[in-house]
């Protein structure tokens, strides 16, 4: 009797799961492929590259300035009076600390710039996915990239990557 009840419950679960999966329309897309095909993404990436280049140039200038002053200090330290030596050491330490602070600040500012530049791009993609879901009657649309979805059964789901790329052109 116990065996019959378990068998009946298992069959009922299988039938329910099959019926539910047949009613749900699932789509998925490759996030990296879609976003990298967007013109506004390419523009944001180009702007970020320009901003990064400016910060890199400033860091290089600061490093060159520090290196020059440090080499000058090393070359002449034997001839400095103790008070002048101490003053120059203090100046180099301050310059070094300012360079480190600038590097930290630049790293944060770059992250903030990237977030600000990418926000409208991501919002546009999100809106397009939502609209496509409504237009095509999808119940669920999954974003796949970086191997975050190990397996997608193509018999019960639809790859919408190309259609999404076309809508975003």
């Amino acid at each position: 009797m116990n065996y019959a009840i378990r068998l009946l419950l298992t069959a009922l679960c299988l039938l329910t799961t099959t019926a539910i999966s047949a009613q749900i329309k699932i789509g998925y897309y490759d996030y990296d492929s879609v976003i990298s095909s967007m013109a506004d993404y390419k523009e944001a990436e180009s702007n970020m590259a320009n901003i990064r280049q400016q910060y890199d140039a400033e860091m290089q200038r600061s490093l060159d300035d520090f290196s020059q002053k440090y080499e000058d200090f090393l070359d002449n330290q034997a001839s400095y009076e103790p008070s002048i030596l101490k003053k120059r050491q203090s100046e180099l330490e301050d310059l070094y600390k300012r360079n480190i602070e600038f590097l930290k600040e630049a790293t944060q500012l770059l992250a903030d710039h990237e977030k600000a530049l990418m926000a409208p791009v991501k919002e546009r993609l999100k809106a397009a996915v939502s609209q496509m879901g409504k237009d095509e009657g999808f119940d669920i649309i999954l974003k796949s990239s970086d191997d975050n979805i190990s397996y997608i059964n193509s018999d019960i789901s639809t790859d919408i990557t190309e259609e999404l790329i076309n809508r975003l052109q």
Side-chain angles (χ1 to χ4, degrees):
M1 180 74 175
N2 196 11
Y3 176 74
I5 291 174
R6 276 194 265 168
L7 183 62
L8 181 62
L9 286 174
T10 302
L12 184 59
C13 285
L14 286 173
L15 286 173
T16 303
T17 303
T18 304
I20 290 172
S21 68
Q23 296 173 2
I24 296 176
K25 188 173 179 183
I26 301 170
Y28 64 93
Y29 67 97
D30 182 335
Y31 177 81
D32 294 332
S33 295
V34 173
I35 201 160
S36 65
S37 73
M38 296 171 63
D40 36 355
Y41 172 82
K42 293 172 186 169
E43 182 180 339
E45 283 291 302
S46 175
N47 289 341
M48 265 315 293
N50 289 336
I51 293 168
R52 263 191 210 95
Q53 186 178 23
Q54 290 176 26
Y55 278 102
D56 288 345
E58 182 58 25
M59 278 305 301
Q60 187 61 50
R61 189 201 63 77
S62 296
L63 182 61
D64 292 344
D65 184 44
F66 177 80
S67 295
Q68 179 62 39
K69 288 180 179 182
Y70 184 67
E71 287 175 20
D72 182 52
F73 172 79
L74 290 176
D75 290 343
N76 299 308
Q77 69 179 342
S79 65
Y80 293 143
E81 288 295 318
S83 62
I84 295 174
L85 180 67
K86 188 174 180 179
K87 178 186 173 277
R88 295 279 175 103
Q89 284 175 328
S90 179
E91 287 174 354
L92 284 171
E93 288 172 6
D94 288 345
L95 185 57
Y96 178 76
K97 287 176 185 175
R98 284 197 313 263
N99 284 345
I100 295 299
E101 284 302 312
F102 177 73
L103 178 61
K104 288 178 185 176
E105 183 182 344
T107 301
Q108 183 60 50
L109 288 172
L110 282 170
D112 293 346
H113 278 297
E114 184 169 27
K115 187 175 181 180
L117 287 171
M118 291 305 294
V121 177
K122 290 180 178 181
E123 193 57 40
R124 183 169 167 249
L125 174 56
K126 184 179 176 182
V129 169
S130 294
Q131 189 61 48
M132 186 167 183
K134 290 174 188 169
D135 292 349
E136 303 296 327
F138 287 103
D139 297 300
I140 299 170
I141 296 179
L142 302 171
K143 169 175 68 173
S144 70
S145 61
D146 297 332
D147 298 326
N148 64 356
I149 297 178
S150 300
Y151 173 72
I152 298 176
N153 186 341
S154 60
D155 293 337
I156 61 167
S157 61
T158 306
D159 183 354
I160 63 168
T161 302
E162 291 303 318
E163 177 63 26
L164 204 48
I165 289 171
N166 291 336
R167 283 180 181 230
L168 289 164
Q169 297 301 319

